[in-house]
Amino acid sequence: MYENLVVVDHPLVADYITKIRDKETNTNDFRKYVDKLSLMLAYECGKELLVRKKAIETPLTKCTGKYICQDIILVPVLRAGLGLVNGFTNIFPDAVISHMGIYRNEENLLPVKYYFRFPRENTPKNSIVFILDPMLATGGSAECTISEIKKLGMKKIVLASLVSAPEGVKELRKLHKDVKVYTCALDNKLNEFGYIVPGLGDAGDRLFGT
Ligand code: PRP
Ligand code: URA
């Protein structure tokens, strides 16, 4: 297994991943299942949050509780990353949402960035940034997104994906060892067109019915 990679191991996750892999799953159902997976993935990614102790009083006695003590920023990678936003904002309702627009050049598979908007200039540098992208294939889109976010001085970055290829994971382990990757499935390989096998096809097309 790879360093700083978490493959979420849960029967519900396995069931929904199987449903979205199935080519018979239509757009409507694909969206519903991605939405459910995004909830479970967000819950798992929540393990990365910093907490501080806090003194509270229950109706019975004083005790020490904990609270989350850092800002949370979500960065969905357009288009397909939008499918993960609802689950993450359900779990992290106070999160701020930034957007990264990237597509892959179909000839050479290199990422083409067309939009990047980070929420605020005064974002605390100890915020946690969750990059949301259902597919980690060559790793080009993730690498480009991570680099842009690091340029802004953000230190804690986590990539949340549904399906990952070993090629993409290896690339990120080489370039951004510090970025933890949470994925619901680690697949076998990329094919000659840069698609993940067995994968689920083109996530953006399946999510948006294009
Ligand atoms: C898909 C996917 C990722 C990227 C992963 O986006 O949503 O962003 O490919 O591939 P990589 O790891 O090789 O970079 P796509 O280029 O299809 O754009 P879209 O979401 O707008 O359809
Ligand atoms: N992007 C996708 O949407 N699917 C893949 O298999 C690879 C990249």
Side-chain angles (χ1 to χ4, degrees):
M1 201 44 111
Y2 304 94
E3 203 184 322
N4 250 352
L5 172 75
V6 176
V7 182
V8 181
D9 182 17
H10 193 289
L12 278 174
V13 170
D15 182 77
Y16 284 116
I17 282 287
T18 303
K19 286 179 161 83
I20 62 170
R21 286 189 194 282
D22 191 335
K23 67 179 184 177
E24 300 302 332
T25 298
N26 64 29
T27 302
N28 181 14
D29 288 334
F30 190 88
R31 279 187 201 136
K32 274 195 308 210
Y33 301 142
V34 166
D35 193 45
K36 289 190 192 299
L37 281 163
S38 68
L39 271 172
M40 298 183 248
L41 186 57
Y43 175 78
E44 283 294 318
C45 286
K47 288 179 182 159
E48 297 303 315
L49 295 172
L50 279 182
V51 290
R52 276 203 194 118
K53 289 184 180 165
K54 178 183 179 180
I56 58 158
E57 272 185 53
T58 75
L60 302 179
T61 183
K62 290 182 178 177
C63 77
T64 306
K66 286 177 184 170
Y67 71 100
I68 291 160
C69 63
Q70 62 186 159
D71 287 12
I72 300 172
I73 300 165
L74 308 179
V75 186
V77 180
L78 309 178
R79 296 174 298 163
L82 293 175
L84 302 179
V85 171
N86 191 44
F88 273 74
T89 49
N90 263 298
I91 299 287
F92 310 125
D94 296 324
V96 165
I97 305 176
S98 172
H99 292 89
M100 171 58 99
I102 298 184
Y103 66 86
R104 297 197 303 176
N105 175 318
E106 285 178 10
E107 305 287 311
N108 58 20
L109 300 180
L110 292 175
V112 181
K113 185 180 85 173
Y114 58 89
Y115 186 80
F116 181 49
R117 179 98 197 247
F118 208 72
R120 307 180 225 115
E121 291 205 343
N122 58 349
T123 303
K125 300 289 182 272
N126 74 338
S127 304
I128 184 164
V129 181
F130 292 111
I131 298 172
L132 313 181
D133 193 337
M135 310 304 277
L136 173 61
T138 63
S141 304
E143 199 285 313
C144 176
T145 308
I146 293 166
S147 295
E148 291 296 328
I149 295 167
K150 282 189 174 174
K151 276 187 212 161
L152 300 171
M154 308 312 294
K155 301 273 181 264
K156 178 72 181 178
I157 303 172
V158 174
L159 175 71
S161 91
L162 295 182
V163 179
S164 299
E167 290 86 339
V169 174
K170 278 184 207 153
E171 189 65 5
L172 289 192
R173 292 302 49 111
K174 225 170 23 190
L175 301 172
H176 299 287
K177 270 201 190 79
D178 54 312
V179 173
K180 196 154 177 177
V181 177
Y182 278 78
T183 190
C184 294
L186 180 62
D187 277 11
N188 299 339
K189 59 173 186 173
L190 293 180
N191 70 11
E192 66 271 38
F193 307 107
Y195 277 85
I196 302 175
V197 180
L200 48 77
D202 187 304
D205 285 348
R206 295 201 62 194
L207 200 52
F208 295 108
T210 46

